[in-house]
Amino acid sequence: TLSHALSSILFWHIALISAIYSSCFIDIYALLPLFLIFYVNFIYLIVLLLFLCYNQKNRNTKLRQIQIQPRRNSRTKSVPARGSFMTIKEIAAKAGVSIATVSHVINHTRYVSPELVDKIEAIIEESGYSEKIKKKVRKIRSGRSSQIVAVFPNIKSALYCDLCNQLQSYATSQGYQFYTAATNDSPEEEKSILQNLISSAKTIGIFLSPASSNPAAYSFLYESGIPFVCVERFIDDDVTPRILFDYTKAFHSATSYFFESGHENVLFLVEKTDSLAKQDKIAGYERALFSANHTLSSSCIAEINLYQSSDTISLNIQKSITRYLPTAIIAGGNRLTMFLLKALRELGKDCPRDISIIGFDDMLWCELTAPPISCIHRDIDQMAELASQALFDEINHLSGAPLTHY
C-alpha cells in the first residue's frame, strides 16, 4: 500500500510539473484538477505513514512482553514482583520478635535460638525476601565482628596453652575473632565471665572447660542459647557436646604397668578440683588396683591444690611421698609432673633409681631428664580439631550426636 501511494504521488507530481512548463496549458484553471489529485495523494500518504508507525509501536511492545514474561509450568515458582517484598519491620512483626533479631538471623551477627531461626527464615522464604539473602542463610558467618571465647581454668598449663593456640587457628580460619578467659577453677569467677560473654552481642560460641560438673550451675548458659562445647572436662548432662580424653582407660593402663613391673605401692597424684575428669582418673587407678588384687584400703591417692605457691605445692607433694613411701608415682597432670620433679629433687631422690615415675602429657621438656620421663600422651591437635568442628556444627545448627571421647 505504501509503495502504491508513493508511486501515485510521484506520477502526479511529474505530470503537474510537466503541465506547468508545457505550452499546451495556457489557462491556469486547467491545472486545478492536477493540484487536487496531487494533494489528495499527499494527505493519504501522511495518514498511511502515521498508521504504520502506530502499528509498529504496538507490535514492538507485544514482543517485549512476550520476551520478559517467563514460561509457566509445574516447576515455575511464583515470586513477588519487585517492590512487593515484606520489609524487615513487617517480618519482625509477623514473627513476634524485634527488628534486631531478624537482622541477626539474616546477617548472622549474633546467635539466635534454632526455633526462632526456623520461624523467621520460614517467613522470609514465604514473603520472597529470601531472594536477596538465600546465599547467606545457614552458612558459617564471615566473622568480621563475631567472637569465639575459650573459658579455661588457666592458661599456665601446657594443655590449655597449646589448646588455645590450636583453637585460635581454627577459629580465625573461619573468620572469627578468638579470645581466652581464665577462671582459676572458681565457680563464681567462671559464672561472672560467662554472664559477661552472654550479654555481649559479639559472642557466637564458647569453648568451656567447666569448673563444676553440676548442670544446675549452668542453667543460665543453657537458657542463653549460645552454642558451647565442653573441652577436657564436661558437665554431667546428655545434651552438651564434649571432647574428652579417656582418662579411665589411660590411668588404668599406667597403673597396671607399674603393678605388672613388680611395684606394690603406687602413689597417684591428682589435682584437687570438682570435676568429673578427676573422678575418671581416680576410677582408672582404682580399676587397676582391683585387677592386681589390691583393695581400696591400699590405694595411695593424694589430691594437690595447684592454686597455691610453687613452694607450697612442692611441700604438699613431699608430705604425700613421706606418708605413703611409694616405689612408683603417677602424676595426674602436666603441672603435677613438673612439681613432682621439683619435690623429688628437694627430697634428694633420683628417678628412676629411687622412684619410678609416669608423667602426664608428653611435653618437650620431658626429654631433658636422663633418662626421659615416660608420660601419658594426649593428642592436643586432634582434641582442638574435634572441638572446633563440634562448635562450628552447633553454630550452624547442624545436628549430631555429642562426642564423648577422642
Side-chain angles (χ1 to χ4, degrees), residues 236-340:
D236 192 13
D237 62 20
D238 297 325
V239 295
T240 306
R242 71 279 305 266
I243 309 299
L244 307 174
F245 182 71
D246 196 341
Y247 290 111
T248 302
K249 180 180 179 181
F251 285 96
H252 174 269
S253 299
T255 309
S256 296
Y257 172 79
F258 277 146
F259 286 139
E260 292 169 0
S261 300
H263 294 279
E264 292 294 329
N265 195 13
V266 179
L267 173 62
F268 182 39
L269 300 177
V270 65
E271 183 179 352
K272 187 176 183 180
T273 180
D274 180 23
S275 70
L276 293 177
K278 182 193 76 174
Q279 298 178 22
D280 287 344
K281 294 174 183 179
I282 294 176
Y285 171 79
E286 292 178 343
R287 184 180 299 176
L289 288 179
F290 286 118
S291 300
N293 297 321
H294 288 69
T295 62
L296 288 179
S297 59
S298 62
S299 65
C300 305
I301 300 176
E303 295 191 19
I304 307 298
N305 184 1
L306 294 181
Y307 293 93
Q308 298 175 318
S309 67
S310 59
D311 290 337
T312 302
I313 296 172
S314 178
L315 180 60
N316 289 334
I317 294 176
Q318 293 178 45
K319 290 179 179 179
S320 299
I321 295 174
T322 303
R323 176 186 175 186
Y324 293 108
L325 299 175
T327 59
I329 302 176
I330 298 175
N334 45 40
R335 295 183 68 202
L336 278 172
T337 304
M338 291 189 293
F339 287 119
L340 172 59

Side-chain angles (χ1 to χ4, degrees), residues 88-89 91-93 95-104 120:
I88 292 182
K89 183 177 180 180
I91 293 172
V97 299
S98 66
I99 296 176
T101 301
V102 177
S103 178
H104 289 317
I120 294 171

Side-chain angles (χ1 to χ4, degrees), residues 7 30 32 34 50 63 115 124 126 144 183 185 189 201-202 212 234 250 297 335 349:
S7 299
L32 289 178
L34 291 176
L50 292 174
L63 286 175
E115 294 78 13
I124 290 173
E126 180 183 346
R144 288 169 294 180
T183 66
D185 251 337
E189 190 169 350
K202 294 184 177 181
S212 171
F234 65 99
S297 59
R335 295 183 68 202
K349 294 186 178 294

Side-chain angles (χ1 to χ4, degrees), residues 206-210 212-216 218-219 221-223 226-231 233-244 390-391 394 400-405:
I206 298 173
F207 293 113
L208 177 64
S209 186
S212 171
S213 58
N214 184 7
Y218 300 94
S219 58
L221 184 57
Y222 293 121
E223 293 170 0
I226 293 180
F228 70 99
V229 173
C230 288
V231 183
R233 301 179 182 178
F234 65 99
I235 302 172
D236 192 13
D237 62 20
D238 297 325
V239 295
T240 306
R242 71 279 305 266
I243 309 299
L244 307 174
L391 185 60
E394 287 292 302
L403 299 173
T404 54
H405 296 94

Side-chain angles (χ1 to χ4, degrees), residues 84-202:
S84 64
F85 293 128
M86 293 177 68
T87 64
I88 292 182
K89 183 177 180 180
E90 292 171 336
I91 293 172
K94 188 172 183 179
V97 299
S98 66
I99 296 176
T101 301
V102 177
S103 178
H104 289 317
V105 171
I106 293 174
N107 299 309
H108 296 273
T109 49
R110 185 176 181 180
Y111 177 79
V112 181
S113 66
E115 294 78 13
L116 273 182
V117 169
D118 293 338
K119 182 178 180 180
I120 294 171
E121 287 183 352
I123 296 173
I124 290 173
E125 183 70 25
E126 180 183 346
S127 68
Y129 198 85
S130 59
E131 294 298 313
K132 298 172 63 177
I133 60 171
K134 61 183 179 180
K135 293 183 179 181
K136 298 180 181 179
V137 175
R138 293 191 181 277
K139 287 187 177 180
I140 296 178
R141 192 174 168 274
S142 61
R144 288 169 294 180
S145 61
S146 295
Q147 64 184 20
I148 290 177
V149 183
V151 181
F152 291 157
N154 63 77
I155 53 175
K156 296 179 181 179
S157 167
L159 165 66
Y160 293 121
C161 184
D162 289 347
L163 259 180
C164 285
N165 289 331
Q166 295 293 333
L167 293 174
Q168 180 178 13
S169 176
Y170 284 107
T172 54
S173 70
Q174 296 295 326
Y176 298 111
Q177 298 177 12
F178 182 84
Y179 300 95
T180 59
T183 66
N184 295 317
D185 251 337
S186 169
E188 293 76 17
E189 190 169 350
E190 179 186 67
K191 184 175 182 179
S192 176
I193 290 173
L194 291 175
Q195 287 178 334
N196 287 334
L197 293 178
I198 290 171
S199 64
S200 172
K202 294 184 177 181

